[in-house]
Amino acid sequence: MIRAAIPADMESIAALQIASWRGAYQGLLSDAYLGQPVVDDLRAKWVGMDVPAGDVLLVSETDGVVDGFIYVMCDRTPTYIDNLHVSPTRKRGGIGEALLRAAAKRLIDLGHSAVSLTVITDNLPAVAFYDKMGGTRGPAQDEKLYGEPVQTYPVTWDDLQALAG
């Protein structure tokens, strides 16, 4: 089931992103960062967060457990997918696709026409997923993720109707 997130979901969202990063970013971010610092940073981001009006935060829930989420910041042009994560134990089961399509439908309802994100270039499963979902990759760029140097691709969908399916 995909639904709008509620304040009670924020602990689960933080825990899910921590688990996701520790699985997906092993070897891409430093082991030191993936220890306690990632817990501190992501809990500080999510726990107690008031989602800005107009932004989209959806969760996937199975048997009462949050197993995926997507967060879209709508005050950017184009709108920006800040996070899309699925529980490491539930990957490749269609949750990421369902969340991305549900967010696209919500963005259309809000009057948006495009969306973008950035993905770490060496996160090959994520890059392949966004390619499969029809995203257009831009050139690789260097940036910092919580102080960690990474190389990313911008990925854009200029047709939310197509993404929504």
Side-chain angles (χ1 to χ4, degrees):
M1 172 177 82
I2 295 178
R3 60 172 175 78
I6 59 174
D9 294 325
M10 301 313 261
E11 288 273 357
S12 296
I13 287 169
L16 196 151
Q17 187 174 358
I18 291 163
S20 177
W21 275 27
R22 284 180 168 166
Y25 294 167
Q26 191 70 41
L28 304 180
L29 300 179
S30 71
D31 289 343
Y33 180 72
L34 290 174
Q36 190 61 40
V38 77
V39 173
D40 297 342
D41 286 344
L42 296 180
R43 283 188 54 77
K45 175 179 178 139
W46 294 112
V47 177
M49 176 186 182
D50 288 324
V51 178
D55 284 1
V56 175
L57 179 57
L58 303 174
V59 296
S60 168
E61 182 179 70
T62 304
D63 298 326
V65 176
V66 172
D67 54 11
F69 76 94
I70 187 168
Y71 177 50
V72 186
M73 303 167 105
C74 295
D75 62 349
R76 297 186 184 192
T77 304
T79 54
Y80 183 75
I81 298 171
D82 184 55
N83 282 281
L84 172 58
H85 293 280
V86 174
S87 170
T89 62
R90 305 273 306 172
K91 285 192 175 192
R92 293 172 189 75
I95 294 170
E97 180 175 343
L99 283 164
L100 192 55
R101 291 193 189 286
K105 289 174 186 170
R106 181 71 182 120
L107 291 171
I108 291 166
D109 291 345
L110 292 171
H112 299 279
S113 59
V115 70
S116 68
L117 57 78
T118 56
V119 60
I120 295 176
T121 59
D122 290 333
N123 185 354
L124 301 181
V127 171
F129 171 73
Y130 296 130
D131 286 347
K132 178 187 114 182
M133 295 301 296
T136 302
R137 260 193 272 164
Q141 53 199 21
D142 294 323
E143 60 180 280
K144 299 258 184 188
L145 182 62
Y146 286 95
E148 294 276 311
V150 294
Q151 189 173 67
T152 64
Y153 293 121
V155 179
T156 303
W157 288 267
D158 290 321
D159 182 354
L160 284 180
Q161 292 287 347
L163 180 58

